[in-house]
Amino acid sequence: MSTSVGELAPASRSSSWRTPAVIILCGCAIGMLGFGPRSALGFFVQPMSHEFSWGRDVFGLAIAFQNLLWGLGQPIAGAVADRFGLFRVMCVGALLYAGGLLLMRYSSTPLSLNIGAGVMVGFGLAGCSFNLVLSAFTKLLPAEKRGLALGAGTAAGSFGQFLFAPIGVALIDNFGWQQALSVFGFLMLLIIPLSLALSTPPAATAASATPADEQTITRALAEAFGHRSYVLLVLGFFTCGFQLAFITVHLPAFLVDRGISTQTGGWVIAAIGLFNIIGSLSVGYLQNSLPKRYILSAIYFTRALATLAFISFPITPFSAIAFGAVSGLTWLSTVPPTSALVALMFGTRWLATLYGFAFVSHQVGGFLGVWLGGIVFERFGSYTPIWWLSILFGVLSALINLPIVEKPVVRAVAQPV
């Protein structure tokens, strides 16, 4: 707790404009920009597949790589940000993200699509997504502002989804998918100036360092992966990635297959983003008074029930939007309690790194959700097996989170020499 206040003080003295309000506002803007375009990529499946005669498995594999590399890159980006400060990491991430979208715009082969949409966007997201924004909030803001700020940062990503889904559909319909990707790419460059407000000090210059704060990254990782509650948290986060990535990429095409218009699909994805603003802010507030493990368990179980209801009845525009609304309430609302639990267990010194490793599990789930969705559809002409797998994972994650112990890890007190 003292570490975070200590880290804020130097920034405040050297940059008086970096008030908590400015930090939160700029962080939310970055979260919105970073999450928006990647949540709208599902609307590019049909126009690109039609133009280049690709199966959905081709596009699905590229986005699956994106999810996987975003996850694998997250702990690396987090470790660099923890050690050397956030600004440089954000700049590199924004440039990679923008470049990947622009390369995707000129892709005409599966290889170039995989490099642009998969590798570059994936690593770019690792460097400039809301995950690093949340770690910056935890480090730079006083403890009493963190809970709501974490919810707001997550909700901002959802607002990006709400905003970019209909914008993406409108751009594709009126100007073509190539121009839509160009617009998305140039918008990502706005992240660079915004990230100035989130600059965190290098570890060597951090004020008020305690013996716990001087823990090496190797010891931090050994401690975390030897901690039962952290391992359970990481395993449960797999389901979140599986469900979100599958729905983001394949739901628009699934709805078109059921006779629902692309425009309605855009509003379904937008509804997910809109209602997740409510869900994320509510969870950010509730986690200050309710056990976080119970919140996570309820979220996963609600998702499973919503999916079961959705596929059990005829698909109509109303049922699709209703599914989007219910899914939205639980969409990214797993993120505030997950990041808060990591900070509670291990402190903020290596928060970006440890949350980054939890996010690897999330993105491995995302990789499998997108990839298996494309393969299953091409082989069976239906997404039904993936929907049922999503329900199963939701129930299992609801159970996995219940035994988590919400206490700081016990460390030996460093003795003076």
Side-chain angles (χ1 to χ4, degrees), residues 71 233-239 241-242 356-366:
L233 188 67
V234 169
L235 291 175
F237 216 23
F238 170 92
T239 291
F242 184 93
F357 274 96
F359 195 69
V360 171
S361 174
H362 184 284
Q363 294 306 97
V364 169

Side-chain angles (χ1 to χ4, degrees), residues 169-407:
V169 171
L171 287 173
I172 293 171
D173 288 345
N174 291 284
F175 303 103
W177 62 268
Q178 296 95 335
Q179 293 301 320
L181 286 170
S182 296
V183 171
F184 283 178
F186 285 113
L187 284 175
M188 293 310 97
L189 298 177
L190 294 175
I191 292 175
I192 295 176
L194 289 169
S195 62
L196 283 168
L198 300 185
S199 281
T200 54
T205 63
S208 306
T210 66
D213 295 325
E214 295 170 356
Q215 182 185 43
T216 65
I217 186 173
T218 304
R219 291 181 179 177
L221 291 174
E223 178 183 71
F225 283 100
H227 194 275
R228 179 171 175 265
S229 292
Y230 179 78
V231 173
L232 292 175
L233 188 67
V234 169
L235 291 175
F237 216 23
F238 170 92
T239 291
C240 185
F242 184 93
Q243 294 170 331
L244 268 59
F246 169 68
I247 290 174
T248 298
V249 174
H250 292 290
L251 181 62
F254 171 80
L255 293 175
V256 171
D257 293 340
R258 295 298 186 276
I260 307 298
S261 69
T262 303
Q263 289 74 20
T264 301
W267 286 111
V268 172
I269 299 297
I272 292 174
L274 178 63
F275 278 85
N276 192 50
I277 296 173
I278 301 172
S280 296
L281 289 173
S282 299
V283 168
Y285 174 77
L286 290 173
Q287 71 178 15
N288 291 325
S289 55
L290 295 177
K292 298 170 184 61
R293 64 188 184 279
Y294 293 157
I295 294 174
L296 287 170
S297 183
I299 288 170
Y300 288 123
F301 191 66
T302 300
R303 280 190 196 167
L305 288 179
T307 302
L308 177 62
F310 179 57
I311 66 174
S312 298
F313 296 97
I315 307 297
T316 65
F318 175 79
S319 72
I321 293 175
F323 174 70
V326 176
S327 296
L329 291 174
T330 65
W331 192 250
L332 290 176
S333 53
T334 58
V335 174
T338 299
S339 57
L341 279 171
V342 175
L344 173 64
M345 293 175 192
F346 308 107
T348 62
R349 173 65 185 87
W350 294 106
L351 174 63
T353 307
L354 297 180
Y355 177 77
F357 274 96
F359 195 69
V360 171
S361 174
H362 184 284
Q363 294 306 97
V364 169
F367 171 85
L368 291 175
V370 176
W371 183 51
L372 290 178
I375 289 178
V376 167
F377 182 85
E378 290 301 319
R379 182 164 299 181
F380 302 106
S382 171
Y383 291 113
T384 299
I386 305 299
W387 286 117
W388 282 105
L389 196 57
S390 177
I391 294 170
L392 174 62
F393 286 159
V395 173
L396 291 176
S397 286
L399 298 175
I400 283 174
N401 278 274
L402 290 176
I404 289 175
V405 177
E406 301 185 29
K407 293 181 181 179

Side-chain angles (χ1 to χ4, degrees), residues 126-192:
C128 67
S129 69
F130 67 93
N131 294 313
L132 288 183
V133 169
L134 299 184
S135 70
F137 282 175
T138 305
K139 290 187 175 188
L140 295 173
L141 296 174
E144 64 272 13
K145 295 182 182 293
R146 288 180 198 161
L148 195 56
L150 291 174
T154 308
S158 302
F159 184 73
Q161 181 170 329
F162 169 74
L163 192 64
F164 277 80
I167 288 177
V169 171
L171 287 173
I172 293 171
D173 288 345
N174 291 284
F175 303 103
W177 62 268
Q178 296 95 335
Q179 293 301 320
L181 286 170
S182 296
V183 171
F184 283 178
F186 285 113
L187 284 175
M188 293 310 97
L189 298 177
L190 294 175
I191 292 175
I192 295 176

